[in-house]
Amino acid sequence: VQLQASGGGLVQPGGSLTLSCASTTTTLDYYAVGWFREAPGKGREGLSCISSADGSTSYADSVKGRFTISRAYGENTVDLQMDNLTPDDTAVYYCATDLTVSCNNYMRGFFGQGTQVTVSS
C-alpha cells in the first residue's frame, strides 16, 4: 500500500491549504482514510477520518470547524481542506489507512511520506 500526501507549503496565519492523499496501488474509495500530523516535540495527532462504510467523518477538537475531509470518488483521492490556519498547525501531515471501512484504527495502518505545512507570517 503506497499513499502520497501532497499540497503542503508555507501559508500565513488565517490562510488556507488543501492537502490531497492519493494512491497508485490501492483503491482508496473502498477504505476509510484519515489524516494525522506530527510536529517537533509533539506526539502524533489524529485529525480527521472519513469512513467508506457510510461516508461519515470525524474530527479532532483542535481542527473541528476549520478542517474538512472529503473523498473524490473516481479520482482515488481524499482531500483535507484546512482553513483559518494558525502557527500551531505547523507540522508534517500524513494520510493513512488500515484497509478497513471504519476509522477506528487508521493511524495504525499504512502511510507514506508526509507533506510539510508551515504557518508563519
Side-chain angles (χ1 to χ4, degrees):
V1 178
Q2 294 181 356
L3 300 178
Q4 181 62 52
S6 62
L10 174 64
V11 63
Q12 292 186 341
S16 299
L17 280 175
T18 300
L19 306 183
S20 186
C21 178
S23 177
T24 59
T25 62
T26 303
T27 303
L28 298 181
D29 292 352
Y30 296 162
Y31 306 109
V33 177
W35 288 87
F36 67 91
R37 66 188 178 190
E38 291 185 340
K42 300 181 181 179
R44 183 174 295 181
E45 179 186 15
L47 302 174
S48 182
C49 185
I50 184 166
S51 165
S52 63
D54 58 5
S56 60
T57 58
S58 59
Y59 297 92
D61 288 343
S62 59
V63 304
K64 196 172 296 182
R66 300 189 299 122
F67 290 11
T68 304
I69 193 169
S70 62
R71 191 188 293 275
Y73 289 100
E75 295 183 13
N76 207 35
T77 60
V78 174
D79 293 341
L80 186 68
Q81 171 70 37
M82 307 187 299
D83 298 319
N84 195 21
L85 288 162
T86 75
D88 287 342
D89 294 314
T90 296
V92 179
Y93 286 68
Y94 300 85
C95 59
T97 180
D98 66 347
L99 300 182
T100 69
V101 301
S102 72
C103 288
N104 293 337
N105 296 298
Y106 75 92
M107 288 178 62
R108 299 178 183 177
F110 302 93
F111 58 93
Q113 285 187 323
T115 185
Q116 175 71 48
V117 172
T118 302
V119 185
S120 175
S121 56

